[in-house]
Structure formats: structure tokens, C-alpha cells
Amino acid sequence: MTPSASWFLLLALTPVVFLLLTWFLGAHAYKEENKKRYSLLTMFPYEMLEGGSGAKNATRVSYYFYLAASAFAGSYLLLTLDKHTYLLPLAIVVLVFFVLQNVALLALGLISAYNPKQHLLAYVAYSGLSVLAEASSAVTFANLMPVDSSLALGFCVAMVAFAAIHFLLLVNPRLSHWGELRSTMDEQGNVTTYRPKPFVLAFSEHLALIFSLVSTIAGLLGFLLLNLK
């Protein structure tokens, strides 16, 4: 394995490990505190993080490491500049979008949905910056077509597809009704409220996070393959 491939592998695997660790620790902490299972379909990411228990503190630390690793993964273009110096302006743009994207994700993990305006703003910012990060990555791959036209074109199309997915998640018309809950009444007149499954905003946040990570790994893989040419 070349030193370059080692760096790419480190950049790709580190955020995956910390995201999985965050989900594992967060689900355990949530079940411990609330006596019910955490569900990606109905629970918000911030619900894994809020609270003062030791398990929640460990989850937050893992989440912060994930954010740092994910933002740092946006530096993958900088690893290829010895061969592609003309990409420096695009490398800086992509890195800035990745950093801002993860700042928005930090806010999304800290702001409760009980503050709906701020929470929705954080989600819109995160999804919008994801679109911009992936679109700028697509432009970068388009600029690498002289290196390998078919490979660069394939990854360019993949980045456009990821940007389109994030855009569709952002403009989903069901999001305007995200706060509507399902209620039932028993024979004694007691009303119990349930979140629908999936709970559209909570599930969209997890989907956006997953697609962002997958697109980052795809970008890393693309630049690794093109860098080895």
C-alpha cells in the first residue's frame, strides 16, 4: 500500500468508526435513561446526546470526534495537489464546505426539536451545505477528466447524485408537517401520543448524515484511484 493510499484509508475509516461508536453508545445511553429502545426511524440525533450521564458524555465525545474526522476528510483533495496543483482553489472550496457542513451538524446535534425554528434552520443549513460540498466535488471530478475521463466522469455523476438526494431530502413536502403526531384514546379517555414511524424530520436527519458519510467515502475513493494513475 502506498503512503497516499494509507492516508486515504485513514481518512475514510476514521469517521465511519466514530459514527458507529456514537450510534452504539447513544442507543445504549438512551435505553438506559428512557427504558425504551432508540430508533433511527423516530428519534432525533440530538436525543442520543442530551443528558448528563456518563454514557451520554461518552456519546458526545464520540460525536465530536466524528465531526472532526468528517470535516478533516474534506481535505482529501489536498493530498493530490502534488499532481494536480491547478485544483488548489477547488480544494479550498470543498474543504470550507465540509467544515461548515459539520459545524451545522454540530448545531443539529445540540439544538432540541422543542426549539423548532432553530432546529429546522440547523437542518436546512446542514442539508444545503451537503449539496454544495457534493456539487463542488462533482466540479472537481469534472476537472480531473484529462487524467481518466471515464473514471472521473463516473465519480462526477455519483457526486451529482448524492447532491440530488440531499436536495430531495431538503425539499420533501412532508417536512412541512413534521410536527404532526399520532394520538390514541383508551376507554378511560386517556390520550397517548406517538410519533409516526418514520418520523419524517428525525429520519431525514439520519438519512442526510448517512448519505453525507457515504458521499465523502466515495469522494475519497475516487481521488485515491485518480491519484494512483
Side-chain angles (χ1 to χ4, degrees):
M1 181 180 290
T2 67
S4 212
S6 300
W7 273 108
F8 278 107
L9 186 60
L10 178 65
L11 287 172
L13 289 181
T14 304
V16 173
V17 169
F18 280 114
L19 181 59
L20 293 176
L21 182 61
T22 298
W23 274 333
F24 173 78
L25 293 173
H28 173 73
Y30 185 87
K31 185 175 182 180
E32 189 177 73
E33 290 190 3
N34 297 279
K35 311 306 178 188
K36 61 181 179 179
R37 293 179 61 184
Y38 181 87
S39 170
L40 296 181
L41 291 175
T42 58
M43 307 296 180
F44 289 93
Y46 79 84
E47 291 179 283
M48 291 189 297
L49 308 172
E50 63 179 359
S53 68
K56 286 294 182 74
N57 289 333
T59 305
R60 281 193 291 272
V61 169
S62 178
Y63 186 66
Y64 298 150
F65 273 108
Y66 165 73
L67 293 173
S70 180
F72 190 62
S75 67
Y76 53 71
L77 265 177
L78 300 176
L79 301 179
T80 67
L81 290 182
D82 57 330
K83 292 186 177 181
H84 315 298
T85 55
Y86 61 94
L87 291 178
L88 179 59
L90 277 171
I92 294 172
V93 169
V94 172
L95 181 57
V96 167
F97 281 142
F98 268 94
V99 171
L100 292 177
Q101 176 193 44
N102 283 280
V103 170
L105 185 56
L106 173 61
L108 196 62
L110 296 177
I111 300 173
S112 166
Y114 292 105
N115 298 308
K117 290 183 179 179
Q118 296 91 329
H119 190 87
L120 281 170
L121 180 61
Y123 173 70
V124 170
Y126 175 65
S127 295
L129 287 164
S130 297
V131 172
L132 293 173
E134 288 150 2
S136 58
S137 294
V139 172
T140 307
F141 278 116
N143 278 272
L144 284 168
M145 289 184 71
V147 178
D148 185 322
S149 59
S150 59
L151 187 61
L153 178 61
F155 280 97
C156 177
V157 171
M159 290 298 108
V160 170
F162 282 119
I165 290 170
H166 272 110
F167 181 74
L168 291 174
L169 286 174
L170 184 58
V171 299
N172 181 358
R174 292 182 60 195
L175 284 176
S176 61
H177 305 287
W178 74 268
E180 295 177 1
L181 305 177
R182 181 170 59 89
S183 298
T184 60
M185 181 183 294
D186 61 21
E187 295 177 353
Q188 286 72 41
N190 299 315
V191 177
T192 304
T193 301
Y194 303 91
R195 296 181 186 183
K197 194 173 183 177
F199 194 26
V200 61
L201 180 57
F203 186 47
S204 294
E205 290 177 12
H206 285 292
L207 285 178
L209 196 159
I210 292 168
F211 283 121
S212 290
L213 182 58
V214 173
S215 71
T216 300
I217 294 173
L220 285 165
L221 177 61
F223 281 98
L224 169 61
L225 295 176
L226 288 164
N227 194 49
L228 295 178
K229 288 289 181 180

